[in-house]
Amino acid sequence: MSERIVYLMRGLPACGKSYTARRLAGATGVILEMDQYFYLQVGDDPASYDYSEERLPAARQWNFNRFRRAIAAGMGPIIVDRGNGLNEETYQYARLAVENGYRVEIQEPDSLWWQELRVLLKYQTHLNPAVLDHWAEVLEEKSRESHRVPRSTIRRWITFGRT
């Protein structure tokens, strides 16, 4: 019997969500990462991350459909690795999980840089914006090889929360 738990990963790009997701999944869990859409469903090369903001709604629906199938199959643990800001889409995942007898936990990365950044985010209204600009630059660099998230997008997510 698989563990009936859903972890909703929460955090900015390049903060360790995927690493933490793999640890939580262990040998029997399933990771549903929306970024997989841009590897597997877009472009011709599955080794290439072909992000397109216009395709974001399709990517969200693709990942949610995979989530529905994993829930219906009774898989677990299920880790949803997609940023998971506290928004309606995240609540859809949580509602479906609970309706099907799963426990839901919001899980954040445990990397040292995420722990530091998390404190800065909490007190960002009291900080010089240059500090957050610096972190957006650091995360852009860290994500360059995998997701290529632009600094401006990361900075927007820092200020307004990730959707």
Side-chain angles (χ1 to χ4, degrees), residues 64-103:
F64 191 71
N65 288 341
R66 294 171 66 222
F67 180 70
R68 283 181 210 214
R69 288 191 300 273
I71 291 282
M75 299 173 87
I78 300 171
I79 298 89
V80 180
D81 182 6
R82 55 163 288 281
N84 291 302
L86 299 178
N87 57 36
E88 182 57 34
E89 185 180 355
T90 300
Y91 294 126
Q92 286 178 323
Y93 280 91
R95 273 193 301 271
L96 184 62
V98 169
E99 287 169 0
N100 285 275
Y102 281 78
R103 191 173 86 236

Side-chain angles (χ1 to χ4, degrees), residues 1 16 44 53 58 63 74 87 91 93 102 125 140 146-147 162:
M1 172 104 176
D44 298 328
E53 192 154 341
N63 204 53
N87 57 36
Y91 294 126
Y93 280 91
Y102 281 78
T125 57
E140 175 191 43
S146 56
H147 300 11
R162 184 165 185 181

Side-chain angles (χ1 to χ4, degrees), residues 77-136:
I78 300 171
I79 298 89
V80 180
D81 182 6
R82 55 163 288 281
N84 291 302
L86 299 178
N87 57 36
E88 182 57 34
E89 185 180 355
T90 300
Y91 294 126
Q92 286 178 323
Y93 280 91
R95 273 193 301 271
L96 184 62
V98 169
E99 287 169 0
N100 285 275
Y102 281 78
R103 191 173 86 236
V104 176
E105 289 185 22
I106 300 291
Q107 182 71 43
E108 294 184 349
D110 49 17
S111 66
L112 294 176
W113 61 92
W114 175 248
Q115 299 307 318
E116 182 178 341
L117 183 55
R118 192 170 181 268
V119 171
L120 294 175
L121 292 173
K122 183 176 181 179
Y123 298 106
Q124 69 177 293
T125 57
H126 305 291
L127 295 174
N128 179 332
V131 172
L132 299 175
D133 292 341
H134 166 73
W135 270 104

Side-chain angles (χ1 to χ4, degrees), residues 2-7 24-26 28-31 75-79:
S2 57
E3 187 178 7
R4 293 182 73 79
I5 184 166
V6 169
Y7 294 103
L24 292 169
T28 60
V30 61
I31 300 172
M75 299 173 87
I78 300 171
I79 298 89

